[in-house]
Amino acid sequence: MSITRRVFLRNGAMAIAGTTAIPGFLTRSAFSTGSLADKKKLLVVIFLRGAADGLNIVVPHGEPAYYSMRPSINIPRRAVIDLDGFFGLHPSLSAFQPLWRQRHLAIVHAAGSPDSTRTHFDAQDFIESGTPGLKSTADGWLNRALHSAPRPAKRSALRAIVTGPSLPRILSGNEPAFAFNHIGDFGVGGRNPNAAPIKNTFEAMYSQSVDSVLHGTGQEIFEAVKMLKSADPSKYIPAADASYPRSGFGDSLKQLAQLIKANLGVQVAFADIGGWDHHVNEGGTQGQLANILREFSESLAAFWTDLGDLAEDTVVVTMSEFGRAARENGNRGTDHGHANVMFVLGGPVKGGKVYGRWPGLDQSQLHEGRDLAVTTDFRRVLGEAVDCHLRSTSLEQVFPGFDNQTGKFLRYLG
């Protein structure tokens, strides 16, 4: 099946050349800064750790081989949330339906890394470093993206934030980045009697090694803590209709929304959600995958609602280290595979479309005879967000060794 050949970030400052002039489904865009330079842009990256099953997340229900390969864990056509007659969402992703209909949500299928490793550690390292197959890269692509983006007039110690106990590989590098499990842990609980005093927290951070929590100077740490205090998590109330699940991931996105809305200078944010490695009893419309998809989609939908007007200048990209095998295994689960699915959500996103070239699931079309083949390099999607949304001045430094100039996924429509 041929998937629509369109880019998916929108604004009138973009001019799109004809798709016939460029190989593949990517189209070249001419970018003019114009009034965009005055707007605050936010990029949020969500990592689905454990290798999510893209074939059961965005289901190719128009592909007969999908059903023959997965007799016990497939998503029946009657249960699929149809998108375009060929692809459909898992029913647990119903929270994404309004975003799709409003054209804020785009999907890239058969996306992933060109490296064929099926080892979680190596694959995650390659995705976060942005250099597949190269283990010697010292920093992460999101840190390099921040370094190459225009700096705001007002310096912020919270320019890059992460929900978690330590800095992930993706944000390691020269640019300061701040990691936290809970905002209240840093003595900013307002009337929270369990919150530690700022001074004690500051010293504790140093005693546990600063770099595990914040990459930056002591002054930046102190400024970050003061800024967190000003956010006052004890008084935060999400926007109306923003209903976060009571879960770890829901809480992570709720805290990200709070800091973003507090106008503390956040430009990039990162969160992850684990639990996707379903070798046994993955389930179909019900079960392990269904449960985590519900948490994932409801949390992200609440985050989007909570951002309010700020969502117009926000882009959220989701990714996983690799997909799952096309065939189910003998334990009604799926083993490690290759290509996967990526979601792109945002005000500038030209959504309501599934992008990419579908490789097919016939035996002759499978990668190494067992997996969905990669037809879109993950760096193509991320590079477009970095280039057009964050307005990177040096994309070749963000993704070294990768030619990101053959076309664009994204365009602005204003």
Side-chain angles (χ1 to χ4, degrees):
M1 174 185 176
S2 177
I3 298 174
T4 305
R5 297 183 176 187
R6 296 178 67 183
V7 290
F8 58 68
L9 247 189
R10 54 186 178 183
N11 192 295
M14 279 293 185
I16 309 302
T19 57
T20 57
I22 297 172
F25 75 100
L26 302 174
T27 58
R28 182 172 297 279
S29 307
F31 182 62
S32 171
T33 55
S35 62
L36 294 175
D38 300 325
K39 294 184 177 181
K40 294 181 179 178
K41 304 296 182 183
L42 175 68
L43 177 62
V44 181
V45 179
I46 308 294
F47 204 122
L48 283 58
R49 292 197 186 275
D53 184 6
L55 287 173
N56 268 18
I57 295 173
V58 178
V59 183
H61 64 85
E63 176 83 67
Y66 163 77
Y67 289 98
S68 63
M69 290 176 165
R70 297 182 167 211
S72 67
I73 65 167
N74 69 67
I75 311 302
R77 289 186 180 89
R78 66 180 182 278
V80 168
I81 301 172
D82 182 58
L83 299 176
D84 59 10
F86 185 87
F87 291 109
L89 296 174
H90 188 288
S92 288
L93 294 175
S94 59
F96 281 173
Q97 271 189 291
L99 303 175
W100 176 266
R101 291 170 179 165
Q102 295 160 11
R103 299 188 180 277
H104 291 310
L105 179 67
I107 295 168
V108 188
H109 220 317
S113 170
D115 190 271
S116 294
T117 183
R118 295 190 180 92
T119 302
H120 290 295
F121 180 83
D122 286 346
Q124 290 181 21
D125 184 77
F126 294 153
I127 290 285
E128 294 192 65
S129 69
T131 54
L134 184 62
K135 295 185 178 182
S136 60
T137 305
D139 49 12
W141 71 262
L142 190 54
N143 194 286
R144 297 194 298 271
L146 193 64
H147 185 74
S148 71
R151 295 183 179 276
K154 183 179 179 181
R155 184 179 177 87
S156 172
L158 294 179
R159 195 172 170 221
I161 57 175
V162 178
T163 55
S166 61
L167 286 179
R169 178 82 163 89
I170 199 170
L171 268 170
S172 63
N174 294 325
E175 293 297 320
F178 190 76
F180 60 94
N181 267 327
H182 298 285
I183 296 175
D185 291 346
F186 292 93
V188 295
R191 298 174 182 172
N192 178 6
N194 296 319
I198 293 176
K199 181 179 178 182
N200 291 345
T201 303
F202 181 89
E203 293 173 350
M205 288 166 66
Y206 268 97
S207 68
Q208 296 171 9
S209 174
V210 169
D211 283 340
S212 71
V213 180
L214 176 79
H215 178 83
T217 67
Q219 181 61 32
E220 285 165 342
I221 296 174
F222 188 67
E223 289 301 317
V225 172
K226 287 201 306 183
M227 294 171 80
L228 285 172
K229 181 180 179 181
S230 71
D232 196 354
S234 67
K235 296 181 180 179
Y236 180 67
I237 300 175
D241 299 325
S243 180
Y244 289 96
R246 294 184 177 180
S247 66
F249 185 61
D251 186 56
S252 291
L253 294 194
K254 181 179 178 180
Q255 292 188 88
L256 288 184
Q258 177 184 355
L259 295 182
I260 291 165
K261 293 166 66 177
N263 195 27
L264 300 178
V266 177
Q267 282 186 280
V268 301
F270 177 86
D272 56 16
I273 174 173
W276 302 90
D277 197 16
H278 299 137
H279 289 276
V280 179
N281 294 329
E282 177 178 312
T285 58
Q286 303 292 327
Q288 295 183 87
L289 181 63
N291 293 338
I292 196 169
L293 284 177
R294 189 174 299 108
E295 177 188 357
F296 165 68
S297 60
E298 291 179 358
S299 298
L300 199 50
F303 175 74
W304 172 259
T305 300
D306 202 4
L307 287 183
D309 292 341
L310 295 176
E312 189 61 30
D313 292 307
T314 298
V315 170
V316 181
V317 182
T318 76
M319 58 187 184
S320 195
E321 62 262 41
F322 44 70
R324 316 296 295 188
R327 295 178 180 84
E328 66 176 79
N329 61 28
N331 295 313
R332 297 191 174 186
T334 50
D335 296 325
H336 297 173
H338 194 42
N340 211 323
V341 65
M342 298 176 72
F343 291 102
V344 187
L345 169 67
V349 172
K350 190 155 194 174
K353 295 288 181 182
V354 179
Y355 296 88
R357 180 177 64 81
W358 181 245
L361 293 177
D362 288 339
Q363 183 62 37
S364 62
Q365 298 167 321
L366 296 177
H367 171 72
E368 296 182 351
R370 49 167 284 171
D371 304 322
L372 182 70
V374 170
T375 58
T376 299
D377 193 299
F378 75 100
R379 292 168 292 182
R380 189 75 68 201
V381 183
L382 301 175
E384 190 67 17
V386 169
D387 185 21
C388 291
H389 191 62
L390 287 186
R391 304 190 303 278
S392 169
T393 59
S394 183
L395 194 57
E396 65 274 11
Q397 292 183 13
V398 179
F399 296 108
F402 179 64
D403 178 12
N404 234 317
Q405 305 304 314
T406 58
K408 297 286 193 260
F409 265 119
L410 317 165
R411 71 166 171 167
Y412 286 80
L413 290 180

